[in-house]
Amino acid sequence: MVPGASISAAPTRSPATSPGSGLSASPALALSFIAVGLGFLLATVVTLALYPALLALPYPHPHVVALVHVWLPGFLLTVCLGAWYQLTPVILGTKLRGIRAAWVHLPLHTIGVVALTIGLASGRYGLAAIGGSLVTLGTSISAGIVLWTFIDSSRRDAIAWSLPLAGGWLAITTLAGVVLATNRQDPWLATPVLALLGAHAHLGLIGFFLTLLQGVTFQLVPMFTLGQLCRPRCVAAGVIATQIGLPVIVGALAVGHQATLIAGAVILAGGLAATATALATTFASRRKRRLEIPLIAFCVGWGFLVIAGLQVALTRLRSGTWESIGATSAYGHLLIPGAFTLMVMGMLLKIVPFLTWMSAYGSAVGIKAVPRATELSRPRLEKFWLSLHLAALLLGWVALGLPNALGALMAQATPWLLLAGLTLYAGNLGGILAHLHPKLASRHS
Amino acid sequence: MNTIATSPAPLAEIEQAIRTVLDPEFGLSVWDLGLIYSVEATPDGVVRIAMTLTTQFCPAGDVILSGVRAAAESRSEGWPVEVALVWEPAWTPEMISPAGRDFLGWQ
């Protein structure tokens, strides 16, 4: 060929040069948050191994509250923060603002969660309030970073809006947690503690995790499956319903107003149905037909969330309140180790290999052969983890409904199944992150 | 400053090199994904590659772009290589090659 000749891989086009993708964000920040989150996962695993009976205790028990805080703000939130910092510039199509502040967020969050959980477990609520304040300072920083980046961006669809909205709810959640801890230390609120605990939990689970997932899901799923977002209005409806339903629910939980609570639960359930519709059509449009374990876990998590939403709406409509602490525990199991954990852990099995691949092999692309990002994870370990996790959930739910010797036996077996699954999961992620070691990376390229 | 090469641009070799650049998620060549719109030798002595990404929000965009450039330069026999990222026309799954569709299980 001579100058002026060309090869065209597609029909003739006249390309307009773009200034560049501008999407490169260092994976180091995200991976650091994820590594700390895995540390909290390990802490959970060790705690469960040492005290397997914890899962059989009623949910208001201080040790259960502490364990839930190692799991939620410790593991799930920390890994989500890492993914959040990585995805925000990608979704908003602009550089992440305040990266230095994000690095400051990491130690604040880590120290804060450790102090918070020690304070909760030991009943030293002053220490819990100090830890919570550090976490709140961190979440305020992250909310500010994401809002600043959002303002810089021109993208204004529901996916983009979910980022700053989730950030705002997160900061409110952690602040509410500090208020709760100070109230336990020196009671000054007339509201019952359990009502406040319920309001705080829903603020975090629905406000941060659900809002974020209702948006980001529709960025990630098409990206991982070569699918298309088919129902953007349903996505927007889901996010809007959550923003309306959540304050209604939280306010009603705090003051104990049942009719308002039902109205909030119905609004939220409607939003979940809209999100589920959008998700189903997006998955149906996928070009990569085979669903991998991480995406199956993610879908199962969404399924549990819809069931939990329906369960709470129907129960509240029928009897106005939960029938027992056991029923509340079952709802909590469905929501925390079920829905949100499966969604976050599933997506983490896509995000961690990708970020690791970017760090370990990105600079060698086009120069020498490199493995695929998806090859870094071990499908067999993924499969065993998901099977064990689902078995643990099933056993746990059955045990909650069986107040006899068999139920007690099942309750004893549940943490061991969960533990086995988590160990495999952590081992798999450790193996993925090991690719960051230069020797292993050079062996694979 | 670019110098016009005296020998013809090895476009076929460059295409083969680009085919070795894989999408990290799907393991499919960027060529089979339909991301490469054109590879041409311009009269001013440059090999210009016009390519796109599956989405403007592709987090691996910069890595794929620099990978395509590195692969092309490895076979360009001294020809300077320019990679232009374009968004028009927008990429659609219909641009995936038949081999790529088979690979993905989409037929």
Side-chain angles (χ1 to χ4, degrees):
Chain A
M1 293 247 185
V2 293
S6 71
I7 288 177
S8 218
T12 308
R13 296 165 170 93
S14 50
T17 306
S18 158
S21 66
L23 300 174
S24 60
S26 164
L29 178 66
L31 283 174
S32 300
F33 270 89
I34 289 168
V36 170
L38 291 179
F40 284 115
L41 170 65
L42 196 64
T44 312
V45 169
V46 171
T47 307
L48 279 176
L50 293 174
Y51 309 104
L54 268 179
L55 285 187
L57 291 173
Y59 76 92
H61 192 286
H63 291 173
V64 178
V65 173
L67 181 68
V68 167
H69 279 79
V70 179
W71 188 253
L72 276 173
F75 170 49
L76 290 188
L77 176 60
T78 312
V79 299
C80 275
L81 287 169
W84 199 31
Y85 282 134
Q86 185 70 22
L87 288 171
T88 294
V90 170
I91 290 174
L92 296 177
T94 184
K95 284 185 179 175
L96 186 72
R97 294 292 175 178
I99 290 180
R100 282 185 189 173
W103 278 108
V104 172
H105 181 191
L106 183 59
L108 279 177
H109 182 77
T110 311
I111 297 166
V113 172
V114 171
L116 171 66
T117 50
I118 291 173
L120 289 172
S122 60
R124 291 150 67 195
Y125 292 104
L127 179 62
I130 292 170
S133 299
L134 291 175
V135 172
T136 303
L137 188 57
T139 56
S140 305
I141 288 172
S142 64
I145 289 170
V146 172
L147 180 63
W148 187 10
T149 310
F150 176 77
I151 290 168
D152 267 1
S153 157
S154 57
R155 188 173 180 183
R156 289 293 180 266
D157 61 2
I159 297 172
W161 270 105
S162 72
L163 297 165
L165 287 170
W169 286 120
L170 179 61
I172 293 169
T173 303
T174 52
L175 187 62
V178 174
V179 172
L180 264 177
T182 55
N183 186 54
R184 287 302 300 273
Q185 171 83 357
D186 187 12
W188 53 278
L189 287 170
T191 315
V193 172
L194 285 186
L196 291 174
L197 199 60
H200 168 62
H202 282 83
L203 263 177
L205 289 173
I206 299 171
F208 177 70
F209 287 106
L210 181 59
T211 300
L212 192 63
L213 286 164
Q214 279 181 309
V216 169
T217 291
F218 296 97
Q219 187 72 41
L220 293 177
V221 170
M223 215 144 66
F224 289 134
T225 64
L226 280 177
Q228 285 169 313
L229 173 55
C230 302
R231 301 277 180 94
R233 285 184 181 175
C234 283
V235 176
V239 173
I240 291 168
T242 297
Q243 308 317 301
I244 297 169
L246 177 59
V248 175
I249 287 174
V250 169
L253 277 171
V255 300
H257 196 278
Q258 294 303 321
T260 311
L261 193 55
I262 290 168
V266 169
I267 293 170
L268 199 67
L272 278 177
T275 302
T277 306
L279 189 60
T281 53
T282 301
F283 265 110
S285 73
R286 72 187 188 279
R287 264 65 179 201
K288 185 183 179 184
R289 297 310 299 173
R290 196 175 67 82
L291 277 184
E292 297 150 330
I293 293 292
L295 289 175
I296 292 173
F298 187 71
C299 291
V300 173
W302 267 109
F304 285 158
L305 189 62
V306 172
I307 293 169
L310 290 174
Q311 183 197 2
V312 73
L314 291 175
T315 308
R316 294 283 181 184
L317 278 171
R318 198 177 61 228
S319 58
T321 183
W322 291 115
E323 285 146 7
S324 63
I325 282 195
T328 312
S329 293
Y331 169 66
H333 278 211
L334 194 61
L335 215 52
I336 299 173
F340 287 108
T341 296
L342 282 174
M343 282 193 277
V344 173
M345 289 177 85
M347 216 28 104
L348 202 60
L349 280 176
K350 298 297 291 180
I351 292 171
V352 172
F354 178 76
L355 293 178
T356 305
W357 180 89
M358 289 269 282
S359 286
Y361 302 108
S363 59
V365 173
I367 297 169
K368 54 186 177 180
V370 295
R372 278 191 284 157
T374 43
E375 284 172 345
L376 306 192
S377 184
R378 295 181 185 179
R380 193 174 286 183
L381 288 182
E382 292 176 352
K383 202 179 284 182
F384 283 138
W385 156 68
L386 183 59
S387 306
L388 288 165
H389 196 91
L390 290 176
L393 289 177
L394 188 65
L395 210 62
W397 289 325
V398 174
L400 281 169
L402 285 179
N404 54 25
L406 183 62
L409 196 66
M410 285 177 164
Q412 282 178 350
T414 300
W416 292 106
L417 279 178
L418 201 59
L419 184 62
L422 292 178
T423 306
L424 292 179
Y425 184 90
N428 189 25
L429 282 191
I432 295 166
L433 290 171
H435 284 262
L436 292 171
H437 195 279
K439 275 187 183 172
L440 186 64
S442 63
R443 205 187 306 157
H444 281 78
S445 60
Chain B
M1 187 177 152
N2 295 330
T3 52
I4 297 177
T6 50
S7 58
L11 296 186
E13 286 78 7
I14 289 172
E15 178 198 322
Q16 286 307 312
I18 293 172
R19 282 181 180 275
T20 66
V21 178
L22 306 182
D23 178 279
E25 175 60 28
F26 304 109
L28 192 57
S29 149
V30 293
W31 193 280
D32 281 325
L33 261 177
L35 300 184
I36 307 296
Y37 284 173
S38 63
V39 180
E40 57 186 16
T42 65
D44 54 344
V46 174
V47 171
R48 183 164 290 137
I49 300 166
M51 67 172 291
T52 192
L53 297 169
T54 55
T55 163
Q56 292 194 23
F57 310 106
C58 175
D62 287 341
V63 168
I64 293 174
L65 249 68
S66 57
V68 167
R69 181 195 304 277
E73 281 175 345
S74 71
R75 300 286 187 86
S76 70
E77 295 176 5
W79 281 67
V81 174
E82 280 182 13
V83 179
L85 178 62
V86 300
W87 299 115
E88 289 292 333
W91 179 88
T92 67
E94 280 63 36
M95 293 176 181
I96 300 173
S97 72
R101 294 177 188 211
D102 278 346
F103 182 84
L104 294 169
W106 168 46
Q107 274 299 0

